[in-house]
Amino acid sequence: MDRLNSACDELGARMAFSKQLRVCALSVLVLLSSSSCSVNILENFADKNSNEALYYDALELINDGDYTGALEKIALMTASYTANREVITLKASAYAGICGLNFLSFVEALKNIGSTRLFPFLLSAFTGGTAAKIDACLAAEDLVESIGTLSERSSDENMFLVLISFAKIGNVLSLYADSDSNGTVDAAYAPCNSGASRVAGDLYDPDVQQLGTGITLAIANIAAVTSGVDLGDASLTSISSACTTLAGVNAAYDFCSITDPASLTANHLKGIRSILKEDSVVGLGSDCTGDVSACFCP
């Protein structure tokens, strides 16, 4: 048992999550095997193809930054095993890694955001955005949401979803508004313009939808997050403030309670673009000076 406890402690220490998100695979094995004291719990790791061994291998690969390799290990697990909550979280963390999210360093940076507006901060935090990274963010987001509703998920899972949503926003902004990947918005960027495909420049409507749901998922989950972790709450409150102002400009623009991309209308997309355009609360300050009431997209 001492050997098991030591192994479990080592595993927990090596995971690239906060204390709240740590999952100890060996502890799970203890629970599964508690009915039979004669079973050597470590024997499962002798079989390199067992679900437990694959889980540990995937965890090690994530710690090493090999997120694609981790997903390959997860793909070898049985379907019933990958339906377990801790495996869903592990898989989401692999996709989040591909998306560019380093959990611990990003949390620390967000806590120290200070007076920096949220969107310029996210743009600088996720330089080099690509379509592949955005898709990885979406995959991670979908996995966490598949665990259950906001009330069914733990506060740690909701915290994880907020950070994934922020990473998604950062990658969308980086792809379209920072063509030279220097962490600052291009001088000529005009967020009201709609592009025809996923290329740098004019923002493609499907990614406007994803940017919008990144905002709304953060709003929806923030109450669960702020009770246990400081994530730059003033900047997050500013999102809600911008939404309130936007609703005053045109109620049809108010997208801030919609978390399903398919439910966003053309007017909602104008609202999302308008929040990007302003420079007083959270926006990039592109092609406009003032809050969203002065910088809305017609």
Side-chain angles (χ1 to χ4, degrees):
M1 183 57 71
D2 288 342
R3 179 184 178 189
L4 178 60
N5 289 337
S6 176
C8 187
D9 289 342
E10 179 182 355
L11 177 60
R14 297 178 66 179
M15 292 183 70
F17 301 118
S18 70
K19 291 180 180 178
Q20 295 97 332
L21 287 179
R22 289 179 185 165
V23 178
C24 183
L26 292 176
S27 291
V28 173
L29 292 178
V30 170
L31 293 174
L32 292 175
S33 303
S34 60
S35 61
S36 177
C37 295
S38 62
V39 175
N40 182 351
I41 207 72
L42 297 178
E43 286 180 355
N44 286 325
F45 289 96
D47 179 3
K48 298 299 183 181
N49 295 316
S50 70
N51 287 319
E52 293 81 7
L54 291 168
Y55 182 99
Y56 183 83
D57 288 345
L59 184 60
E60 290 289 280
L61 288 167
I62 288 174
N63 289 339
D64 293 337
D66 185 356
Y67 307 114
T68 300
L71 290 172
E72 291 172 353
K73 292 292 183 181
I74 294 170
L76 297 174
M77 299 175 186
T78 63
S80 60
Y81 192 77
T82 56
N84 290 328
R85 201 170 188 137
E86 66 272 12
V87 182
I88 293 173
T89 303
L90 186 73
K91 188 174 182 179
S93 71
Y95 276 114
I98 295 173
C99 171
L101 177 60
N102 182 308
F103 184 88
L104 294 178
S105 64
F106 182 63
V107 168
E108 189 61 30
L110 194 55
K111 286 169 60 179
N112 296 317
I113 190 172
S115 60
T116 304
R117 297 191 309 277
L118 183 62
F119 289 167
F121 167 80
L122 294 177
L123 175 69
S124 66
F126 294 95
T127 55
T130 64
K133 288 183 177 180
I134 294 170
D135 287 339
C137 292
L138 294 177
E141 199 174 67
D142 289 344
L143 283 163
V144 177
E145 287 192 287
S146 75
I147 292 172
T149 64
L150 188 148
S151 60
E152 291 169 338
R153 295 190 301 265
S154 70
S155 59
D156 300 330
E157 290 159 349
N158 288 327
M159 176 172 66
F160 193 19
L161 185 56
V162 170
L163 300 181
I164 293 169
S165 296
F166 281 163
K168 181 177 72 170
I169 293 171
N171 277 287
V172 171
L173 296 178
S174 176
L175 173 61
Y176 291 99
D178 183 18
S179 59
D180 55 4
S181 298
N182 69 351
T184 59
V185 63
D186 297 336
Y189 181 62
C192 291
N193 295 340
S194 179
S197 61
R198 252 184 177 177
V199 295
D202 296 341
L203 189 53
Y204 188 39
D205 279 354
D207 282 334
V208 180
Q209 293 176 325
Q210 294 303 331
L211 196 153
T213 57
I215 296 170
T216 56
L217 283 171
I219 292 172
N221 285 272
I222 204 62
V225 174
T226 54
S227 61
V229 179
D230 175 12
L231 290 179
D233 301 343
S235 292
L236 302 176
T237 301
S238 295
I239 299 176
S240 296
S241 174
C243 286
T244 300
T245 304
L246 181 65
V249 173
N250 187 335
Y253 283 18
D254 185 4
F255 66 94
C256 294
S257 63
I258 300 172
T259 57
D260 178 6
S263 298
L264 293 168
T265 67
N267 278 329
H268 290 143
L269 299 190
K270 290 181 181 179
I272 296 165
R273 293 175 186 275
S274 298
I275 285 183
L276 282 179
K277 189 177 182 180
E278 67 91 34
D279 74 346
S280 297
V281 185
V282 295
L284 294 177
S286 301
D287 192 32
C288 191
T289 300
D291 67 17
V292 72
S293 65
C295 298
F296 60 90
C297 294

